Amino acid sequence: MPPFLAYADKGPENSDRVPLVLVHGHPFDHTMWDPQLAEFSAGRRVIAPDLRGYGASPVTPGTVPLSRHAEDIAELLDHLAVDSFVLAGLSMGGQIVMECHDRFGDRIRGLVLADTFPTAETPEGKRGRNAMADRLLAEGMRGYADEVLEKMVAPYADAGVKAHVHRMMTATPPEGAAAALRGRAERPDYRALLTRITVPALVLVGADDTYTPVADAEEMHAALPDSALHVIEGAAHLPNLERPEEFNRHLAAFLTRLDENA
């Protein structure tokens, strides 16, 4: 039976290096990770799914909680016979990574948390996410994409990066984005979970990120028992696309550490 999620699966299946699994944010798809797929698949297996409701994966209308996204990832990795791996996520993807650790943390060799935060949604935040879900269903994605583009990436970002990000946002099905927003509004608080994570963690954040500012990354770094924090200058919410060389350099060093301890 084929997996529910569409996905990219690149690199050698029989490498002795730890596989890397990349979880995209909202409202994007797996091509958000193109620079990392290109860089790291030369020597290790790299898997990047389209989350439920995004990219080429099927849409589930209504509400899709983070727990459903986590279950989808577990089912995909079971299908691919990937037993242990490094799990990386950005923004909503980072929150899904935290949910994954809560559900099947024994399979995870290391965590990468980029431009994300661990707290539950506030009452005001819940109202805002549900109102945005209503808006996307009524209006579609383009107006939203136009409004938030220069918060997703910095105003000074490369024009090609801006075009890629805008293209991903406008291609996302409104029903999928709305369902994920409603589910994300109900997420739990992951702060206590972070204190129990014993595997190595890498925390990355763009210096100019206004969605998840550096203070959020510092809070996660302080809570995690074994973590490194790197602030990436010249980037906002998507440093993996805005400053891929620096992002990849930090990720490569982290993966090398995990490979050596395998």
Side-chain angles (χ1 to χ4, degrees):
M1 182 177 178
F4 184 85
L5 300 182
Y7 61 95
D9 181 3
K10 298 188 176 182
E13 291 187 19
N14 58 353
S15 171
D16 57 1
R17 296 177 179 177
V18 184
L20 173 62
V21 180
L22 301 167
V23 185
H24 68 76
H26 163 88
F28 307 124
D29 57 47
H30 82 272
T31 68
M32 190 199 89
W33 296 110
D34 278 353
Q36 289 69 49
L37 283 160
E39 175 73 16
F40 294 103
S41 63
R44 77 178 67 240
R45 191 174 189 182
V46 185
I47 299 159
D50 285 336
L51 295 171
R52 181 182 293 248
Y54 296 88
S57 290
V59 171
T60 299
T63 300
V64 176
L66 297 189
S67 58
R68 179 67 261 181
H69 291 301
E71 290 163 8
D72 287 342
I73 291 168
E75 290 165 8
L76 173 62
L77 295 173
D78 288 345
H79 172 79
L80 296 174
V82 176
D83 295 325
S84 66
F85 42 87
V86 178
L87 189 58
L90 186 145
S91 193
M92 180 180 76
Q95 293 169 340
I96 293 169
V97 164
M98 292 182 246
E99 181 69 27
C100 287
H101 192 280
D102 194 36
R103 291 173 172 269
F104 48 90
D106 57 325
R107 300 175 64 178
I108 299 172
R109 300 276 292 279
L111 294 179
V112 181
L113 299 169
D115 300 83
T116 191
F117 61 100
T119 53
E121 197 60 89
T122 63
E124 179 184 3
K126 288 183 180 182
R127 289 191 293 271
R129 290 197 190 277
N130 282 295
M132 179 58 70
D134 291 340
R135 176 189 167 186
L136 296 182
L137 291 173
E139 300 178 8
M141 298 297 294
R142 181 164 294 276
Y144 167 77
D146 291 345
E147 287 175 18
V148 303
L149 178 60
E150 291 193 347
K151 289 183 70 177
M152 292 295 187
V153 296
Y156 51 78
D158 177 83
V161 171
K162 286 185 179 182
H164 179 191
V165 172
H166 193 267
R167 189 164 57 246
M168 286 190 293
M169 289 194 287
T170 56
T172 295
E175 298 82 3
L181 282 169
R182 296 192 199 284
R184 194 178 178 195
E186 303 303 323
R187 69 181 181 276
D189 192 319
Y190 296 110
R191 285 177 291 183
L193 170 72
L194 294 181
T195 67
R196 302 192 300 271
I197 293 175
T198 57
V199 297
L202 174 63
V203 181
L204 297 169
V205 64
D208 294 333
D209 191 345
T210 56
Y211 283 123
T212 56
V214 171
D216 290 346
E218 292 172 337
E219 176 187 355
M220 292 191 299
H221 173 52
L224 288 157
D226 180 2
S227 70
L229 168 64
H230 297 285
V231 179
I232 298 178
E233 298 295 333
H237 194 52
L238 295 171
N240 70 301
L241 284 172
E242 296 171 87
R243 292 290 181 267
E245 295 85 1
E246 185 174 353
F247 188 98
N248 289 353
R249 178 165 55 83
H250 294 307
L251 180 53
F254 180 69
L255 292 171
T256 297
R257 175 192 171 189
L258 295 175
D259 290 337
E260 290 171 349
N261 294 330

